[in-house]
Amino acid sequence: MSEATLNLAQRLARPELLDLEPYQSARRIGGRGDIWINANESPFNRTDLPRLNRYPECQPPALIAAYSRYVGIDSKHVVCSRGADEAIELLIRTFCIPGKDSIALFGPTYGMYSISARTFNVGVVSMSLTPEYGLPDDLSAVKGCKLVFICNPNNPTGTLIRPEKIESVLQTLPEQLVVVDEAYIEFSPEYSVVALLDKYPNLVILRTLSKAFALAGARCGFTLASADVVAMIMLVIAPYPVPLPVSVLAERALSEAGLDNMRADVQLLIQQGQRLADCLEQLGAKVLPTGANFVLAYFDDIQSVAQGLKDAGIVARAYKDPRLVDAIRFSYSDERETDLIIAALKKILN
């Protein structure tokens, strides 16, 4: 292929992938017949779940269709993976040449962007979020990076970046993939940039069912991107990345009843989270505004708070990042647990 005939995804991809013949699993090849003996499967199903003795589809059509309907985009823009964590690795494996290419991120942020890159010998350009936890205006330092990760809402701060700011990044970096991690977007849906997918071929969005959909144990995530980017990812994805039980659970979660449950849960968690944030502020903590299902709070005496929570049997999240050493992240919970957390905080801080 000549450079002039390549699309953006092909230009950014590792060159050796352009001629790669992807592994043709039994399910990808398919076929018609009553006796299936092409995949070395057992004919015996010893479970209550139909067809569990058979390999699943690489991208289960019903699941892809269900998530496409939920997001409001064509199914050709959707890839399902083992959580958004696998999606991060798929992007790095697809587009970054080990020992040569790099990714960019804006910290403090989700640690797996950096870890996934480093385990593939891919460089990391780490820029700092502004003092207000926004994106910096000067992006010159990241212009040589293949992938630019933006977590929105950001983990662990919970802070939000407006869609128009992300759009300006897409315009500034037209020859790079801007990966927007929307793992917590159900808690702030108005900040999603899904509407920009058709406009910007360099936009990639990560989603998950682990948070608002309450399926963290199932490990089901999605990559939303141009058809060209999806095509490149499908060259390197594992033959069977979506286990059949996961697909069944995910389809239920994306049904009309499942979506109603998710939205009700989100509202309940936001209410309880507001109670927790109000309590923390009343007790003297500095609480960051959040658009996720957690709140980050800064304390004058972090050690006593951490020890007090430990003594109360409450496991919260502390950090070593220089900007977070005095902070603890509290995930939202139900009313009963929120009552217990608030009681413990009052005992520790009063």
Side-chain angles (χ1 to χ4, degrees):
M1 296 183 190
S2 68
E3 182 74 19
T5 64
L6 300 180
N7 59 51
L8 175 63
Q10 291 170 328
R11 293 197 303 273
L12 291 175
R14 290 163 49 198
E16 62 269 26
L17 297 185
L18 300 182
D19 298 320
L20 178 69
E21 182 68 31
Y23 176 71
Q24 295 297 310
S25 69
R27 289 298 169 266
R28 276 194 176 184
I29 295 172
R32 293 186 178 184
D34 299 320
I35 299 175
W36 287 69
I37 53 171
N38 67 333
N40 303 333
E41 302 158 322
S42 171
F44 310 114
N45 184 2
R46 303 303 188 188
T47 75
D48 296 328
L49 192 64
R51 294 189 56 79
L52 200 60
N53 58 312
R54 301 293 184 180
Y55 285 110
E57 297 286 347
C58 177
Q59 295 291 288
L63 174 57
I64 297 297
Y67 201 79
S68 298
R69 286 193 300 271
Y70 165 60
V71 180
I73 60 176
D74 191 280
S75 60
K76 68 182 180 181
H77 297 297
V78 180
V79 177
C80 187
S81 60
R82 291 178 287 247
D85 288 329
E86 185 187 30
I88 295 167
E89 293 200 350
L90 284 171
L91 288 167
I92 292 171
R93 286 172 52 205
T94 302
F95 295 103
C96 295
I97 301 172
K100 176 182 177 182
D101 288 331
S102 59
I103 70 164
L105 52 86
F106 302 92
T109 193
Y110 185 44
M112 283 308 298
Y113 310 139
S114 175
I115 291 173
S116 293
R118 294 184 189 283
T119 58
F120 287 109
N121 193 25
V122 169
V124 178
V125 175
S126 183
M127 293 190 69
S128 293
L129 293 169
T130 66
E132 295 75 31
Y133 300 98
L135 293 177
D137 292 327
D138 183 3
L139 298 178
S140 57
V142 307
K143 286 195 172 180
C145 300
K146 283 284 189 73
L147 307 172
V148 179
F149 285 90
I150 299 172
C151 192
N152 194 42
N154 187 46
N155 177 18
T157 62
T159 46
L160 288 156
I161 298 166
R162 301 203 64 82
E164 53 266 31
K165 179 63 176 178
I166 294 176
E167 184 169 16
S168 73
V169 176
L170 290 163
Q171 294 168 346
T172 302
L173 307 174
E175 292 298 313
Q176 296 158 257
L177 292 184
V178 178
V179 185
V180 183
D181 187 344
E182 294 189 345
Y184 300 91
I185 204 64
E186 279 79 15
F187 295 89
S188 300
E190 67 274 19
Y191 283 83
S192 176
V193 290
V194 166
L196 299 179
L197 270 175
D198 286 336
K199 189 176 179 181
Y200 296 98
N202 59 327
L203 173 60
V204 179
I205 299 172
L206 304 182
R207 291 287 193 93
T208 183
L209 300 187
S210 294
K211 312 301 180 183
F213 285 92
L215 288 179
R219 309 309 300 130
C220 187
F222 298 89
T223 302
L224 315 179
S226 72
D228 293 333
V229 169
V230 167
M232 295 308 304
I233 291 172
M234 290 303 296
L235 291 175
V236 302
I237 200 168
Y240 309 108
V242 189
L244 181 61
V246 171
S247 181
V248 171
L249 289 169
E251 286 180 49
R252 291 176 187 168
L254 292 164
S255 68
E256 187 175 343
L259 291 173
D260 287 343
N261 288 337
M262 179 272 289
R263 290 172 180 130
D265 288 349
V266 165
Q267 290 307 308
L268 184 149
L269 288 168
I270 289 175
Q271 291 168 7
Q272 296 307 313
Q274 189 60 57
R275 289 183 58 213
L276 178 60
D278 290 345
C279 171
L280 286 163
E281 287 186 331
Q282 291 165 8
L283 294 171
K286 177 188 174 184
V287 179
L288 292 188
T290 180
N293 68 335
F294 58 84
V295 63
L296 188 75
Y298 287 84
F299 300 92
D300 292 332
D301 186 356
I302 190 70
Q303 296 301 325
S304 64
V305 175
Q307 186 61 50
L309 291 171
K310 182 179 179 180
D311 293 343
I314 297 170
V315 183
R317 187 69 178 266
Y319 296 90
K320 296 179 180 179
D321 186 288
R323 293 180 68 178
L324 302 174
V325 291
D326 295 322
I328 294 176
R329 191 190 69 188
F330 297 82
S331 301
Y332 295 170
S333 192
D334 58 26
E335 183 175 6
R336 184 189 70 85
E337 289 194 348
T338 303
D339 288 343
L340 294 173
I341 296 167
I342 288 174
L345 287 169
K346 287 180 177 178
K347 182 178 180 181
I348 295 166
L349 293 169
N350 274 337

